[in-house]
């Protein structure tokens, strides 16, 4: 009753922490409610015996964390060895997945790095959040590639290399995060029929139930059963590009012919329906309705950095690189320091 007089109890979410303080007579004299990572709300009985409410900012510390490693076996295992949080690795894969072929480009001795943000409660020392990535980089066969997270003047978030070129492409080459390609585009022996045929797409060998992401924004043209393809989705992105996804175990709720999807939205889940020997995603890109090689097609980039944002972006790069210098970190993929 006391709490309801001070705050709207209907807005108190499930799992929200609170603490009640009692006096020597076991009577409640104070309540503390953790409204968010940064806000606490106190309700307490003052010296006049009246209940009073007070909102207080919690002291929060934010710091950059750097993780890097050399790939001896798989990128996933190297990232785990470097103690990369899974949420940060997921963001790393999403950004790099626009331009990196994780099957054919990765070699033993290649390197990766990322910088992510960690927030802690200064009072308790508890980690509040981790994983918001601000830089991703790789060295592939000696070639450096790196992208910086930047908030543009209009509030949007973009990823750019040091020259302001966008990391984003019209379509994602790898619409499942961290996937291991089981067969690349080109002539191969069909695993069921046994004869060689042009495999017009790529197969991502990942466990059944792995979420499948829309490679780009667009309208669903087909979502349902499609013969040997099993459960199947095809998206029309614009007048030129379509993408197709086959052998799904299930189609996500709200995905149906005519519905609109955003790039990176979960549209279905990996399975082995139709003509398939095991769980995998068969992925195709179509240009003017003709299937092309998803791994080598030259996809147009997203919107590059505007002239208005260049000065603030230069500060973004400078601040992050200064952090690397100050912490004596070996830089694998970023700008030469």
């Amino acid at each position: 009753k006391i709490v309801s007089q001070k705050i709207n109890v209907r807005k108190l979410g499930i799992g929200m922490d609170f603490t009640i303080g009692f006096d020597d007579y076991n009577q409640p004299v104070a309540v503390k409610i953790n409204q968010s990572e940064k806000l606490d709300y106190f309700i307490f009985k003052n010296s006049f015996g009246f209940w009073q409410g007070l909102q207080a900012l919690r002291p929060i510390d934010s710091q950059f964390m750097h993780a890097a490693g050399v790939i001896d076996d798989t990128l996933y295992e190297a990232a785990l060895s470097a103690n990369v949080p899974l949420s940060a690795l997921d963001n790393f894969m999403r950004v790099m997945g626009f331009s990196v072929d994780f099957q054919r480009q990765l070699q033993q001795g290649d390197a990766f790095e990322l910088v992510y943000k960690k927030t802690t409660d200064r009072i308790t020392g508890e980690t509040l959040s981790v994983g918001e990535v601000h830089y991703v980089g790789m060295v592939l066969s000696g070639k450096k590639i790196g992208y910086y997270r930047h908030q543009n003047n209009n509030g949007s978030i973009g990823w750019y290399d040091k020259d302001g070129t966008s990391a984003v492409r019209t379509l994602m080459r790898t619409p499942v995060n961290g996937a291991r390609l089981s067969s690349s585009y080109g002539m191969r022996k069909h695993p069921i029929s046994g004869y060689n045929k042009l495999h017009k797409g790529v197969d991502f060998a990942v466990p059944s139930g792995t979420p499948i992401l829309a490679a780009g924004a667009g309208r669903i043209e087909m979502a349902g059963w499609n013969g040997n393809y099993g459960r199947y989705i095809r998206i029309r992105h614009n007048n030129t590009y379509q993408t197709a996804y086959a052998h799904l175990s299930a189609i996500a709720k709200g995905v149906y012919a005519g519905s609109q999807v955003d790039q990176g939205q979960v549209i279905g889940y990996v399975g082995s329906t139709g003509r398939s020997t095991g769980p995998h995603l068969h992925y195709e890109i179509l240009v003017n309705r003709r299937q092309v090689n998803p791994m080598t097609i030259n996809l147009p980039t997203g919107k590059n950095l505007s002239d208005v944002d260049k000065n603030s972006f230069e500060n973004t790069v400078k601040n992050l690189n200064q952090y690397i210098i100050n912490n004596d970190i070996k830089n694998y993929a970023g700008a030469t320091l």
Side-chain angles (χ1 to χ4, degrees):
K1 182 177 179 181
I2 296 169
V3 173
S4 64
Q5 292 174 352
K6 298 295 180 181
I7 62 175
N8 187 351
V9 294
R10 294 182 179 180
K11 293 185 178 180
L12 298 180
I14 296 174
M16 182 176 287
D17 292 331
F18 67 92
T19 304
I20 300 176
F22 297 88
D23 62 15
D24 294 338
Y25 302 99
N26 206 30
Q27 295 297 310
V29 293
V31 179
K32 184 186 80 169
I33 300 171
N34 297 117
Q35 289 185 295
S36 67
E37 286 184 358
K38 297 181 179 181
L39 286 177
D40 287 335
Y41 193 81
F42 295 89
I43 303 172
F44 57 92
K45 187 174 289 187
N46 62 27
S47 57
F48 298 102
F50 297 107
W51 287 94
Q52 183 175 342
L54 175 68
Q55 193 174 55
L57 287 171
R58 292 185 66 81
I60 302 297
D61 289 327
S62 294
Q63 63 181 130
F64 282 140
M65 304 292 291
H66 181 270
V70 176
I71 301 168
D72 292 323
D73 188 5
T74 68
L75 173 60
Y76 179 77
E77 291 174 350
L80 292 185
S81 297
N83 297 316
V84 175
L86 290 179
S87 57
L89 179 59
D90 181 68
N91 288 331
F92 176 95
M93 299 295 292
R94 281 180 185 246
V95 177
M96 278 295 180
F98 285 106
S99 53
V100 175
D101 177 343
F102 288 112
Q103 181 195 38
R104 295 186 299 183
Q105 285 183 269
L106 282 182
Q107 298 180 20
Q108 189 176 36
D110 286 344
F112 76 93
E113 67 172 336
L114 65 155
V115 175
Y116 60 92
K117 184 171 285 188
K118 176 183 178 181
T119 61
T120 55
D121 188 318
R122 193 183 304 164
I123 297 175
T124 65
E126 178 187 359
T127 296
L128 300 175
S129 64
V130 65
E132 182 183 87
V133 177
H134 286 253
Y135 173 79
V136 297
M138 297 193 77
V139 175
L140 302 172
S141 300
K143 181 181 178 181
K144 295 180 179 181
I145 179 174
Y147 298 106
Y148 299 83
R149 181 185 188 271
H150 178 67
Q151 182 169 342
N152 298 309
N153 287 337
N154 62 8
S156 65
I157 300 297
W159 285 90
Y160 309 95
D161 68 12
K162 57 185 177 60
D163 298 318
T165 301
S166 175
V168 177
R169 302 292 187 272
T170 302
L171 301 176
M172 301 167 66
R173 296 187 192 277
T174 52
V176 279
N177 290 336
R180 175 180 61 84
L181 288 174
S182 61
S183 61
S184 58
Y185 182 91
M187 297 302 296
R188 67 163 184 162
K189 196 170 195 178
H190 194 277
I192 298 177
S193 65
Y195 59 85
N196 288 326
K197 63 179 291 186
L198 182 63
H199 184 222
K200 297 179 179 179
V202 288
D203 288 345
F204 296 83
V206 285
S208 184
T210 299
I212 299 167
L213 312 177
R219 180 177 59 83
I220 301 292
E221 287 190 322
M222 181 177 179
W225 196 268
N226 187 16
N228 291 339
Y229 280 120
R231 287 193 181 88
Y232 173 90
I233 294 174
R234 188 173 67 244
I235 304 174
R236 164 67 68 178
H237 301 285
N238 52 36
N239 291 334
T240 303
Y241 294 104
Q242 298 164 285
T243 55
Y245 316 76
H247 308 302
L248 281 63
S249 63
I251 294 171
K253 185 178 180 181
V255 175
Y256 53 87
S259 63
Q260 296 290 323
V261 293
D262 297 322
Q263 187 173 57
Q265 178 180 333
V266 174
I267 56 173
Y269 303 90
V270 169
S272 188
T273 56
R275 197 175 195 184
S276 170
T277 57
H280 72 286
L281 168 66
H282 175 75
Y283 173 55
E284 297 177 356
I285 293 179
L286 299 92
V287 177
N288 296 323
R289 297 189 176 274
R290 298 188 63 177
Q291 294 157 321
V292 299
N293 185 343
M295 293 297 105
T296 60
I297 180 176
N298 187 21
L299 295 169
T301 64
K303 189 175 181 180
N304 293 333
L305 198 68
S306 69
D307 291 336
V308 175
D309 287 299
K310 282 187 177 178
N311 287 337
S312 59
F313 176 69
E314 288 174 0
N315 287 331
T316 295
V317 174
K318 180 180 177 181
N319 291 339
L320 193 140
N321 285 344
Q322 190 62 50
Y323 157 77
I324 292 174
I325 293 173
N326 292 343
N327 289 273
D328 194 28
I329 295 169
K330 179 179 180 181
N331 187 253
Y332 287 94
T336 301
L337 304 178

